[in-house]
């Protein structure tokens, strides 16, 4: 038993970011929600309704992580999956989906993630602005110097030539 307790924290320490890495946890939750919908597509009778309830519970946990990237990736992947999966549509399922989306939207509006997303959309988030600057500079670096500069790392090039 002690051996198991020694191994488990090491297995949860994803790539050295620690057990409490909110973004890794949020990515795991987003993948779990999508896996639930794959389960619902396979077990079409009761899997659909079980999936709705389980997805709402996991979505509540996802909101607690406040991860904008996981939220956006979940929204895009779930929308694509639901459009392409070929669920049979009847009035009860459509009503259940609409009710689930309404509950999820209410949960989202009452979370701190909605404030973070609105700050990001209005360019008031220093974290998102810094990332956008780095990503755009990375694209500029690729087009400006396609063969590289000979310096040891791209971060040195960014710091010397592209950083504000």
């Amino acid at each position: 038993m002690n051996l198991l307790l020694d191994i488990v924290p090491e297995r949860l320490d994803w790539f050295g970011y620690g057990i409490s890495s909110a973004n890794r946890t949020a990515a795991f939750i987003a993948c779990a929600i999508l896996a639930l919908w794959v389960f619902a597509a396979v077990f079409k009778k009761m899997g659909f309704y079980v999936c709705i309830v389980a997805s709402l519970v996991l979505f509540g946990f996802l909101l607690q992580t406040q991860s904008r990237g996981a939220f956006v990736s979940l929204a895009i992947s779930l929308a694509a999956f639901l459009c392409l999966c070929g669920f049979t549509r009847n009035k009860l399922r459509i009503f259940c989906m609409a009710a689930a989306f309404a509950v999820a939207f209410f949960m989202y509006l009452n979370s701190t993630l909605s404030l973070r997303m609105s700050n990001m959309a209005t360019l008031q988030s220093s974290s998102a602005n810094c990332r956008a600057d780095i990503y755009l500079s990375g694209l500029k670096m690729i087009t400006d110097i396609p063969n590289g500069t000979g310096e040891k790392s791209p971060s040195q090039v960014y710091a010397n030539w592209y950083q504000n």
Side-chain angles (χ1 to χ4, degrees), residues 1-99:
M1 184 66 176
N2 288 336
L3 178 64
L4 181 63
L5 293 175
D6 291 338
I7 293 173
V8 170
E10 291 176 17
R11 296 290 179 229
L12 292 176
D13 188 13
W14 294 309
F15 307 107
Y17 289 110
I19 294 173
S20 63
S21 171
N23 290 326
R24 298 259 180 214
T25 303
F28 176 76
I29 293 170
C31 289
I33 292 172
L34 199 58
L36 278 172
W37 283 98
V38 171
F39 171 80
V42 172
F43 299 101
K44 296 181 187 226
K45 293 250 180 190
M46 287 308 292
F48 182 82
Y49 303 106
V50 170
C51 177
I52 287 177
V53 174
S55 292
L56 285 174
V57 170
L58 287 175
F59 184 71
F61 293 137
L62 178 72
L63 292 176
Q64 295 299 314
T65 65
Q66 299 181 21
S67 175
R68 294 175 293 212
F71 177 76
V72 170
S73 66
L74 175 65
I76 292 170
S77 62
L78 192 57
F81 180 78
L82 291 177
C83 288
L84 300 173
C85 70
F87 278 122
T88 56
R89 293 173 179 89
N90 58 27
K91 290 180 183 180
L92 179 60
R93 285 187 175 202
I94 292 172
F95 173 76
C96 288
M97 286 294 292

Side-chain angles (χ1 to χ4, degrees), residues 72-153:
V72 170
S73 66
L74 175 65
I76 292 170
S77 62
L78 192 57
F81 180 78
L82 291 177
C83 288
L84 300 173
C85 70
F87 278 122
T88 56
R89 293 173 179 89
N90 58 27
K91 290 180 183 180
L92 179 60
R93 285 187 175 202
I94 292 172
F95 173 76
C96 288
M97 286 294 292
F101 280 116
V103 168
F105 188 67
F106 180 75
M107 290 167 57
Y108 168 75
L109 288 178
N110 290 308
S111 71
T112 53
L113 180 61
S114 65
L115 179 63
R116 291 190 74 205
M117 292 293 285
S118 65
N119 285 343
M120 183 181 71
T122 58
L123 303 176
Q124 296 176 359
S125 171
S126 60
S127 169
N129 291 343
C130 188
R131 286 185 192 144
D133 184 43
I134 290 171
Y135 297 149
L136 292 174
S137 295
L139 293 174
K140 289 178 190 171
M141 287 167 53
I142 291 171
T143 57
D144 290 348
I145 318 163
N147 296 326
T149 62
E151 293 192 38
K152 292 183 180 179
S153 73

